[in-house]
Structures are given as C-alpha cells and as structure tokens.
Amino acid sequence: MITVNITSYVQFAPTINMKATCKMTLQCLQTYPLAEAIIVVNDENVVIGIISSKSFYLKLSSGYAIENLYNKPISQLMISPPLTVDVNISVTQLQEQNLLVKNSHYPLVVVQNNAPIGILSVENYHLLTVPPSDDYPLSTSIASTYTNQFSF
C-alpha cells in the first residue's frame, strides 16, 4: 500500500500581518497574482485568518468606495478562524475528518509547528483521492521555502 502525505499538494500562500490594511493586501496580491489566498497571522506568526483572492477582489468591486476599503484592516474582511491542518496529517486522517467538505469555499491552512506553510485547496484535496499513476504523477507544487511572510 502506498502512503501519500499532503505535502505534495500544499500550495504557496503569502502571509500578511493582521494589522495590514486592504491596500497592503492588494499590493501583496499584485506581487503574488497566482496566490489563491492570503494567510493572516498575528505578531507571533500564528494563523488567525484567511482571505481568498477571489473574495477580496469581489469586495473591492462591490460598490464600496475603494478609498474607504484601502484603510480598513484586513482583519475586518478575513474569515476567522480558518480551518488548519498539520503538515504531518495523513490523507486517510484528512478524509476521515472531512474538513474540506465542511469548508468547501476556502482552502485549509497547512501549518508546521503552528507556523503557516501554505494552503490545501479544494481542487488539490480532490487530487489526493486519485491514486498516482504514470499518466498522473504526484504533484510537487509545495513551495521550496516555508518563509513566505509578506512584510511591509
């Protein structure tokens, strides 16, 4: 039996401090245009929230005066608390907990020693259920470094 862990499916996600403004968050998303989400952390680098790039851009285009949103802290728009999983969780444990079905709109935040290392998207979760083969080898999309703090 092949044991598959989730690290091959973890996607890079930048982190931003909870005190950052929406303008700073927009700058972060412009720096990382392929990021599906931004992980929001406190001063101790502990995960306290998440905001998807899609929901952030929807808020920006929803008719609010953009100047008013620019100065709001991201903590007012984030989803808190996000669902988190340890990087060492097995696929079987993840499936048994059924976390992504309970949280189908937002990715899971993957942590190691309570520090964020990336996200597990709904799409990548579904890839975990497909056994590897020559036609569909395991993904290796994990970020090469766990240091992804976007600082201002």
Side-chain angles (χ1 to χ4, degrees):
M1 177 180 214
I2 297 174
T3 302
V4 178
N5 65 33
I6 67 168
T7 54
S8 297
Y9 296 89
V10 175
Q11 293 174 277
F12 169 78
T15 59
I16 197 163
N17 188 281
M18 66 184 193
K19 296 173 190 165
T21 63
C22 290
K23 182 177 182 180
M24 294 172 175
T25 304
L26 179 60
Q27 291 169 338
C28 181
L29 285 170
Q30 289 170 338
T31 301
Y32 300 103
L34 298 179
E36 184 176 323
I38 296 178
I39 301 167
V40 183
V41 297
N42 64 16
D43 292 334
E44 289 78 37
N45 201 35
V46 174
V47 177
I48 62 162
I50 190 169
I51 185 143
S52 73
S53 55
K54 180 179 178 180
S55 66
F56 181 78
Y57 285 124
L58 284 172
K59 281 281 190 198
L60 285 183
S61 65
S62 65
Y64 290 108
I66 199 160
E67 298 81 21
N68 293 341
L69 280 177
Y70 269 2
N71 296 321
K72 280 191 175 205
I74 193 59
S75 59
Q76 290 184 8
L77 297 180
M78 69 183 184
I79 299 298
S80 181
L83 291 177
T84 60
V85 294
D86 189 87
V87 69
N88 296 315
I89 193 170
S90 72
V91 173
T92 304
Q93 290 171 318
L94 187 63
Q95 290 171 332
E96 286 171 357
Q97 292 181 19
N98 212 18
L99 291 174
L100 278 173
V101 172
K102 296 175 188 172
N103 188 49
S104 62
H105 299 293
Y106 283 89
L108 298 175
V109 178
V110 182
V111 296
Q112 183 174 38
N113 300 324
N114 293 322
I117 64 167
I119 60 171
L120 181 62
S121 68
V122 175
E123 292 81 10
N124 280 354
Y125 173 80
H126 292 296
L127 287 175
L128 287 169
T129 62
V130 178
S133 69
D134 291 337
D135 294 330
Y136 302 99
L138 289 175
S139 167
T140 56
S141 63
I142 190 165
S144 60
T145 178
Y146 295 151
T147 309
N148 57 7
Q149 179 73 32
F150 189 83
S151 58
F152 292 95

